[in-house]
Amino acid sequence: MMQERLVALRSRAKDDLAKAKTLNEIEYVRVHYLGRKGAIKEIMKAIPSLPPEEKSMMGKMANQLKLEISDEVEGAKKRFSPSSDSSTDKTPRLKNNAQDAKGSFDLSLPGKRQPYGHIHPITQTINEIKSIFSKLGFAVEYGPELEQEYYNFDALNVPPDHPSREDFDTFYLDNKLLLRSQTSTVQIRTMKKRRPPIRMIAPGKVYRPDTVDARHASMFHQIEGLLVDEGVSFQDLKYALTSFSKIYFGQDIKMRFRPSFFPFTEPSAEVDISCSICNAKGCRVCSHSGWVEVLGAGMVDPNVFEAVGYDAEKYTGFAFGMGVERLTMLRYGIDDIRLFFENDLRFLSQF
Amino acid sequence: MKISYHWLKDYCDHSLSVNELSEGLTNAGLVVDASTPLGDDFCLDVEVTSNRPDCLGILGIAREVSVIVRDKLLIPGVEYPTNTENIESETTVVNEEKELCPRYTARIIKGITIGPSPEWLQKRLRVLGLRPVNNVVDITNYVLMESGQPLHAFDFDKLEGKRIIVRRAANGETLEAIDGTKCTFTSDVLVIADTKRPVAIAGIMGGKGTEVTETTKNIFLESAFFEPRNVRRSSRKLGIKSDSSFRFERHVDPECVDWASRRAAKMIQEIAGGQILEGAIDLNSIQLKETHVTLRTPKLTSLLGIHLEKNEMRDILERLCFTIISEEDDRLEVCVPSFRGDVYREIDLIEEIARIHGYESIPATSNIGVKLNPENRFDSVVEKVKSLLYGMGYNEVITDSIVDNKQDLHTGLWTDMNGIRITNPIRHDQDQLRKTIILNLLKVKKHNQNHGTEKTSIYELSKIYLGKENGAPPDERVCLSILCEDGFLPLKGVIEVILHRLNINLMLAPHPFQSDLFNPGKSAKLQLGGKIFGYVGEVSGELMHNYDFRSTPCIAELDFELLVNMATLENSYHKTSSFPTIVRDLAVIADEAITWAEIKGSIDTLKMDYLEEIEFFDLYRSKQIGQGKKSIAFRLIFRANDRTLRNDEVDVCQDEILKTLENSLNIRLRS
Ligand SMILES: [Zn+2]
């Protein structure tokens, strides 16, 4: 029994010494094994109680191990001695520690940094938007990316001959489904599942057969939002989106709501904020208008309510959608959408 | 849609500056993207949404301006003197496709003189970026830009049989278009033909053979309504886009077809001379129904959240050319003009009033207030796992769901089915939905290696897409894929830490797994609680070679939804013991085939009270130990909750453990 403990002790001590990186650590190992209350002393204490035939052998073995470990400790200390031949020393860190021994530790040397990871900027943007809307009570919903035409178009009041259904604007699959081209699909799925009041946002991937360039990717991310209740008005829409934009882009931005068109909202609006890159004076990013578009929104079209079986006389609501890549690009002044999917660590580690 | 600042004033004599005009239009829903000075004029680029084809002519935009500035809209007159000769004695038109061409009109102007158009007209066209050609062509373009109604002038004498037939093309029929494109038709393309051959692609472009040239004397002027979808498809198919097809695709005003024809005929007569034959051909199968809509004023108030007087509502609608049919206390019944096909419901009227009244005048106040909602469980697990990986030095990546079909060479992970295919990919070799994220992570490593980053610790947490048999809905499964540069056991450690963090106390069960993704000796299919949890392995030599990697990565792909289901988000507390531990380090010799899991499992079956932890710390082989054997060293930590353990108690436990290991696994202590 004792013999086995000694074998295990030897292997562990050697391991500890090999791992020790400073004189201090070596000293710690020495005390742990050889010290007055060290592991070997502990074992030796038990020797007198052994049967006589084992006593002497164990005593010998323990002493031998003590010598062995103490040699190892001395050997390890030599690695740090200034007189050791530095040309064979391949670990510069140890050389620095040698100065430590002489009491001339260079405090200006760089700290040893632990590596840490990064969360993708797209995820960070989504998280930030989720957290802002969560304060207004919007719960997060998800939906499938492989969708039926019904959810991507029909229920969203997109006419049967609308160009967005054609195969230059939507990816179709060999299983009668399509790759959703907008996260608005989740509006429909949520309303079909639940009764008002509803407050939800739905982040996720969407797909369009655009030829990839600095401004277009065939896969990108959107966040859809929806609020349905009795008595919801355009004022509420303006309030929610103004609150959001001021938190996300800053209190000082100016905002503009202007009429637009989406099949699933009416009245529809596009929301612009003052260009922060040029301070609204006009630059390339804002096409010299001083404004950049950040959101599409509107009051839920009665046809959409009809499709999900809500009484459009009783309930009203608003919906909005935004492009995550676009918001992230505006925020950081990134000029090429492809950077997000190239995943160069030199890019990712900036966020 | 480009407009000229000065030209616009022909129809609405506003006093707005270019900037004021741009702002006014933008606030009414017609965004002015840019205004460019050209000579003494300005070209305004107006973005017209797809529901407003009526604004694809300068007149339509002028109508909006007249509403904004509350002024009159001036529409040019189209009366003209005619010849006594009637068009019907000169030509006939046969329409074989009333579905695709619901209205076709024609006028003939004889004895014209082709020449350059007057300077004022050329100048206006140039502001819109159009190149002047000759007076007749310029006039058709002018009226197109003015009214939004496309027109086409044929050289009447070049039409075989002096007749027009509107028909589908025969398969294989050809035409050289005015822009030089040589088209070969299929039967789904609508063409305008004479008695012999196609002379124009309906709604898209005329043919070279019948175009107006310097020698043209007599004009056949076409103005029609072509079905939008067919024009769009033919245009895409033939690869020809024009100002005409752009407008037909978006639906022209059926009422304007004849007005534009008259307007152009009159201008041709005035500018190019000649005489308009009496009458016109007008094959019209469009039955216009008047659209009547009722607006309830309280509905508008509640939806917009603002109070407007009924008079204000009526005023806005009337300025937009809606006719008030009847009026009661709280409702207005209106008739919608033909060019506003987008308006047919109450909500559409509310939108018209809202946008003219101005979104800016609707206050951004609300009582929707805050509301609490429960945390989303999926998101909570994601958050926990990502923050762990973040702390361990892993970088999140996001890669494309659409991949090349080479992934089928490396299948066998989650499914044996082929990948789900995109039928209309952008690139024919990128047409599959990914069945694994692993290959994408390898590509990311490759990219980083090529750009000087040697160590790529990365992960992606998102979906893979698995087809199902017999048309069952596909499986979109969220996976966590990790690429680790530190070796197999460190990667396994990452997985174990994740399980621990999620309070999943099940043992990871690795099973040998064969795939050409992985090095056969170092790969496993992982099970958790009897379910397939994922795959982990060292990247195979073949892939190492294919990607030219300089270091060997290990990769795991895990079923994240299983983690979400098994996770316990609430941590539980147990009191920690304040008594000291007794530690025993053991080194044992075992047969090569014995696994650590067997050793640990064997000790676990004893359910020893004071055994707090078993820690593996060394594995070692040597000649001394012998062939087919290995030495395994581990530490046993003993502790009681209520007292200090004695050495002799621990000796008893240790004895029992060694006996069990010897009996069940033939393991003996190393000496
Ligand atoms: Zn700017």
Side-chain angles (χ1 to χ4, degrees):
Chain A
M1 182 76 46
M2 183 159 291
Q3 197 179 344
E4 290 77 41
R5 280 173 67 185
L6 287 172
V7 171
L9 201 63
R10 176 199 282 139
S11 130
R12 204 161 175 99
K14 285 188 177 172
D15 191 44
D16 284 349
L17 276 174
K19 280 183 198 147
K21 288 198 190 73
T22 63
L23 278 174
N24 262 341
E25 284 175 24
I26 292 174
E27 180 59 15
Y28 176 83
V29 173
R30 192 189 67 77
V31 171
H32 182 77
Y33 290 96
L34 306 174
R36 266 193 315 123
K37 287 180 175 178
I40 292 183
K41 269 269 159 43
E42 282 295 312
I43 287 178
M44 283 180 151
K45 263 191 234 164
I47 290 179
S49 61
L50 288 174
E53 67 273 18
E54 284 183 28
K55 251 191 228 172
S56 76
M57 191 180 70
M58 283 302 130
K60 235 196 231 161
M61 279 187 71
N63 265 321
Q64 201 187 330
L65 179 59
K66 193 174 159 184
L67 289 173
E68 208 177 311
I69 296 179
S70 121
D71 279 352
E72 296 266 346
V73 167
E74 285 313 307
K77 279 186 178 166
K78 280 206 184 102
R79 284 190 283 156
F80 295 88
S81 123
S83 66
S84 75
D85 183 358
S86 62
S87 67
T88 60
D89 190 344
K90 287 181 179 132
T91 45
R93 199 183 293 126
L94 298 185
K95 260 191 283 180
N96 296 331
N97 278 304
Q99 295 173 347
D100 177 14
K102 285 197 299 184
S104 56
F105 180 68
D106 182 354
L107 294 165
S108 75
L109 287 173
K112 166 108 173 72
R113 301 185 185 189
Q114 294 297 319
Y116 65 97
H118 298 87
I119 304 279
H120 198 284
I122 293 300
T123 308
Q124 291 192 34
T125 303
I126 292 174
N127 285 347
E128 199 171 337
I129 294 169
K130 281 201 298 207
S131 113
I132 295 171
F133 278 105
S134 139
K135 292 181 180 116
L136 289 168
F138 286 71
V140 177
E141 297 280 346
Y142 295 101
E145 293 169 25
L146 279 52
E147 247 320 348
Q148 301 164 30
E149 263 193 279
Y150 174 79
Y151 291 101
N152 202 69
F153 295 124
D154 302 349
L156 285 164
N157 194 35
V158 179
D161 62 347
H162 196 266
S164 65
R165 292 180 184 249
E166 306 247 358
D167 54 4
F168 12 85
D169 280 321
T170 301
F171 280 122
Y172 289 89
L173 302 171
D174 59 359
N175 56 7
K176 295 188 181 139
L177 299 176
L178 48 77
L179 284 174
R180 69 176 174 195
S181 57
Q182 47 197 9
T183 43
S184 312
T185 53
V186 187
Q187 274 188 39
I188 304 297
R189 288 186 170 271
T190 305
M191 285 193 278
K192 287 225 158 196
K193 205 163 62 186
R194 294 214 306 268
R195 304 295 305 167
I198 284 179
R199 294 185 191 198
M200 64 123 223
I201 62 166
K205 291 194 168 90
V206 298
Y207 302 85
R208 292 191 194 161
D210 286 326
T211 304
V212 176
D213 61 24
R215 305 211 154 237
H216 299 91
S218 49
M219 176 187 92
F220 53 100
H221 297 75
Q222 280 187 339
I223 296 182
E224 183 79 7
L226 175 73
L227 184 149
V228 182
D229 207 337
E230 288 178 43
V232 179
S233 78
F234 201 90
Q235 275 201 16
D236 301 316
L237 176 156
K238 283 191 71 173
Y239 166 77
L241 297 183
T242 304
S243 309
F244 161 74
S245 303
K246 297 217 159 175
I247 297 172
Y248 186 76
F249 293 106
Q251 294 295 326
D252 299 336
I253 52 141
K254 287 196 195 64
M255 292 185 70
R256 179 169 83 173
F257 287 75
R258 55 182 166 75
S260 189
F261 172 71
F262 306 107
F264 35 94
T265 52
E266 186 145 355
S268 300
E270 269 173 326
V271 184
D272 299 335
I273 60 163
S274 48
C275 178
S276 57
I277 291 176
C278 62
N279 256 325
K281 289 188 180 67
C283 69
R284 202 178 51 83
V285 171
C286 58
S287 316
H288 305 282
S289 69
W291 294 101
V292 285
E293 184 193 322
V294 290
L295 283 157
M299 303 303 291
V300 178
D301 194 288
N303 288 359
V304 173
F305 281 144
E306 194 183 318
V308 298
Y310 284 8
D311 179 356
E313 283 298 306
K314 184 169 177 199
Y315 297 111
T316 49
F318 63 82
F320 53 90
M322 49 194 135
V324 180
E325 279 78 4
R326 183 175 164 74
L327 293 190
T328 314
M329 288 166 87
L330 283 174
R331 175 99 164 238
Y332 296 105
I334 298 167
D335 58 2
D336 193 331
I337 195 171
R338 289 170 292 197
L339 290 168
F340 292 119
F341 307 112
E342 199 174 74
N343 298 296
D344 193 310
L345 291 184
R346 294 168 301 165
F347 172 76
L348 296 180
S349 60
Q350 293 177 44
F351 300 94
Chain B
M1 150 100 194
K2 291 190 167 73
I3 61 167
S4 139
Y5 174 73
H6 284 309
W7 188 350
L8 186 73
K9 287 193 169 186
D10 279 10
Y11 317 110
C12 176
D13 195 13
H14 63 82
S15 54
L16 302 175
S17 69
V18 173
N19 282 342
E20 287 165 342
L21 179 66
S22 300
E23 199 183 319
L25 285 171
T26 300
N27 287 334
L30 292 157
V31 180
V32 178
D33 281 333
S35 56
T36 319
L38 284 170
D40 58 355
D41 201 352
F42 290 87
C43 172
L44 274 61
D45 201 344
V46 185
E47 197 184 311
V48 178
T49 51
S50 66
N51 60 324
R52 294 298 304 275
D54 61 300
C55 288
L56 293 176
I58 297 176
L59 248 176
I61 293 185
R63 190 184 300 117
E64 294 282 314
V65 176
S66 75
V67 177
I68 296 165
V69 301
R70 295 168 181 267
D71 204 346
K72 276 201 301 288
L73 178 68
L74 308 163
I75 299 174
V78 290
E79 298 308 315
Y80 53 78
T82 58
N83 200 332
T84 49
E85 196 183 353
N86 192 287
I87 187 165
E88 284 173 20
S89 60
E90 281 290 308
T91 189
T92 55
V93 175
V94 177
N95 183 0
E96 294 180 358
E97 295 291 339
K98 287 189 179 145
E99 292 269 309
L100 302 183
C101 175
R103 188 171 186 186
Y104 193 95
T105 71
R107 283 188 163 75
I108 287 176
I109 306 110
K110 281 192 154 182
I112 51 115
T113 310
I114 296 293
S117 35
E119 186 49 37
W120 65 268
L121 200 157
Q122 292 198 22
K123 200 173 135 194
R124 284 187 169 183
L125 291 181
R126 279 198 204 95
V127 170
L128 305 193
L130 295 175
R131 189 177 52 88
V133 181
N134 60 45
N135 47 13
V136 170
V137 171
D138 290 353
I139 288 164
T140 57
N141 281 333
Y142 184 91
V143 176
L144 160 65
M145 290 302 161
E146 176 182 63
S147 65
Q149 169 64 42
L151 299 161
H152 185 66
F154 294 97
D155 185 329
F156 185 51
D157 301 313
K158 290 178 190 155
L159 293 176
E160 288 285 337
K162 306 222 161 172
R163 291 177 56 199
I164 283 292
I165 299 143
V166 183
R167 61 168 170 86
R168 283 173 188 270
N171 275 319
E173 257 183 323
T174 58
L175 175 76
E176 184 180 359
I178 286 174
D179 71 352
T181 311
K182 295 194 170 65
C183 307
T184 305
F185 299 125
T186 46
S187 64
D188 48 357
V189 176
L190 187 73
V191 294
I192 310 303
D194 58 19
T195 52
K196 203 171 153 194
R197 65 209 157 137
V199 292
I201 316 156
I204 300 173
M205 196 170 280
K208 221 175 181 105
T210 51
E211 76 178 319
V212 173
T213 63
E214 291 132 50
T215 57
T216 302
K217 291 275 172 275
N218 304 313
I219 295 290
F220 179 99
L221 181 68
E222 166 196 289
S223 179
F225 180 102
F226 296 112
E227 197 270 321
R229 184 144 64 158
N230 187 262
V231 173
R232 188 166 71 231
R233 295 216 163 130
S234 300
S235 157
R236 296 265 185 176
K237 201 165 177 175
L238 298 167
I240 304 179
K241 281 184 187 177
S242 63
D243 285 325
S244 295
S245 66
F246 182 80
R247 285 168 178 77
F248 281 123
E249 280 176 31
R250 283 160 182 77
H251 202 282
V252 298
D253 174 14
E255 293 274 87
C256 184
V257 171
D258 188 54
W259 184 90
S261 170
R262 287 169 183 273
R263 169 79 168 146
K266 179 177 159 133
M267 282 180 75
I268 290 171
Q269 188 168 23
E270 282 165 6
I271 291 170
Q275 290 198 304
I276 305 168
L277 298 199
E278 189 189 64
I281 299 210
D282 188 354
L283 307 178
N284 188 359
S285 58
I286 299 175
Q287 288 182 348
L288 271 186
K289 261 203 339 257
E290 279 196 345
T291 307
H292 293 186
V293 187
T294 302
L295 171 69
R296 296 164 296 169
T297 55
K299 180 75 186 168
L300 181 142
T301 305
S302 69
L303 194 80
L304 299 181
I306 49 165
H307 185 75
L308 275 183
E309 293 300 327
K310 193 173 65 184
N311 284 344
E312 291 177 75
M313 301 182 200
R314 194 184 55 206
D315 179 49
I316 289 172
L317 291 173
E318 281 179 334
R319 281 189 281 135
L320 284 166
C321 302
F322 291 78
T323 320
I324 308 295
I325 302 171
S326 71
E327 184 174 344
E328 287 169 43
D329 274 355
D330 57 358
R331 58 185 62 206
L332 289 168
E333 192 188 359
V334 304
C335 177
V336 179
S338 68
F339 50 83
R340 290 304 303 272
D342 58 314
V343 177
Y344 54 97
R345 303 172 299 172
E346 181 181 40
I347 190 72
D348 304 324
L349 293 179
I350 294 176
E351 177 176 57
E352 287 303 299
I353 293 166
R355 81 181 170 88
I356 298 300
H357 180 68
Y359 285 2
E360 290 310 310
S361 52
I362 301 175
T365 53
S366 165
N367 54 7
I368 60 170
V370 294
K371 186 174 155 273
L372 293 176
N373 56 277
E375 189 77 35
N376 179 307
R377 179 180 167 86
F378 179 84
D379 280 2
S380 304
V381 177
V382 169
E383 174 67 35
K384 275 197 152 81
V385 170
K386 283 191 178 175
S387 61
L388 263 188
L389 288 164
Y390 171 84
M392 291 189 284
Y394 285 87
N395 297 285
E396 186 192 19
V397 302
I398 299 180
T399 64
D400 211 328
S401 314
I402 301 169
V403 297
D404 59 44
N405 48 25
K406 287 196 201 85
Q407 64 166 351
D408 278 331
L409 300 173
H410 303 286
T411 47
L413 285 198
W414 302 100
T415 175
D416 292 326
M417 302 265 298
N418 279 343
I420 298 168
R421 213 172 55 78
I422 297 172
T423 55
N424 58 325
I426 309 173
R427 288 175 41 186
H428 66 90
D429 57 344
Q430 298 275 330
D431 68 343
Q432 307 263 321
L433 297 187
R434 65 182 182 191
K435 297 191 292 183
T436 171
I437 303 172
I438 290 179
L439 296 169
N440 285 2
L441 294 189
L442 294 180
K443 276 188 198 134
V444 173
K445 174 171 165 59
K446 174 73 176 165
H447 170 92
N448 279 287
Q449 181 180 289
N450 288 349
H451 290 80
T453 308
E454 290 301 329
K455 189 169 173 181
T456 312
S457 303
I458 48 170
Y459 73 92
E460 179 164 1
L461 204 174
S462 53
K463 285 176 176 175
I464 58 170
Y465 310 86
L466 307 174
K468 292 281 184 192
E469 299 207 44
N470 305 325
D475 181 3
E476 289 182 29
R477 192 178 302 184
V478 180
C479 280
L480 171 63
S481 295
I482 308 171
L483 186 151
C484 168
E485 302 268 27
D486 302 325
F488 186 94
L489 290 179
L491 176 55
K492 196 174 170 214
V494 169
I495 301 170
E496 287 167 355
V497 166
I498 290 171
L499 293 178
H500 184 255
R501 179 80 180 105
L502 298 176
N503 299 310
I504 301 173
N505 296 316
L506 297 163
M507 200 48 181
L508 264 185
H511 299 274
F513 172 69
Q514 292 298 319
S515 158
D516 53 6
L517 286 175
F518 297 128
N519 185 344
K522 265 194 188 170
S523 59
K525 181 181 200 167
L526 298 174
Q527 288 204 330
L528 193 62
K531 298 199 167 107
I532 296 174
F533 176 43
Y535 305 87
V536 59
E538 191 177 88
V539 167
S540 73
E542 187 198 336
L543 286 178
M544 287 287 296
H545 177 77
N546 291 350
Y547 285 93
D548 198 17
F549 284 151
R550 290 193 283 266
S551 59
T552 313
C554 289
I555 295 200
E557 184 155 277
L558 309 171
D559 184 338
F560 192 75
E561 287 164 25
L562 194 65
L563 283 180
V564 174
N565 291 335
M566 288 184 168
T568 304
L569 292 174
E570 191 73 14
N571 293 325
S572 56
Y573 165 76
H574 63 270
K575 200 169 184 311
T576 54
S577 170
S578 52
F579 295 94
T581 58
I582 291 186
V583 173
R584 293 291 162 85
D585 292 334
L586 298 179
V588 298
I589 310 278
D591 285 344
E592 272 295 354
I594 303 289
T595 63
W596 170 248
E598 286 171 309
I599 294 173
K600 185 167 184 299
S602 174
I603 301 172
D604 281 341
T605 54
L606 294 170
K607 296 203 165 46
M608 237 166 224
D609 282 345
Y610 304 130
L611 180 55
E612 193 175 80
E613 244 184 297
I614 311 167
E615 275 175 14
F616 166 85
F617 69 79
D618 190 33
L619 174 70
Y620 154 103
R621 296 175 179 86
S622 76
K623 266 200 195 126
Q624 230 179 336
I625 297 166
Q627 275 281 308
K629 301 274 185 190
K630 59 189 175 187
S631 160
I632 297 168
F634 55 93
R635 167 170 285 191
L636 300 169
I637 300 171
F638 295 91
R639 175 162 25 207
N641 285 328
D642 50 354
R643 63 194 171 82
T644 302
L645 282 177
R646 292 190 321 272
N647 266 314
D648 58 330
E649 288 177 282
V650 171
D651 287 345
V652 173
C653 294
Q654 189 176 324
D655 268 341
E656 196 184 341
I657 287 170
L658 285 169
K659 210 175 294 159
T660 306
L661 289 179
E662 181 157 13
N663 292 341
S664 60
L665 301 169
N666 192 26
I667 284 172
R668 60 186 169 80
L669 270 176
R670 188 175 151 196
S671 52

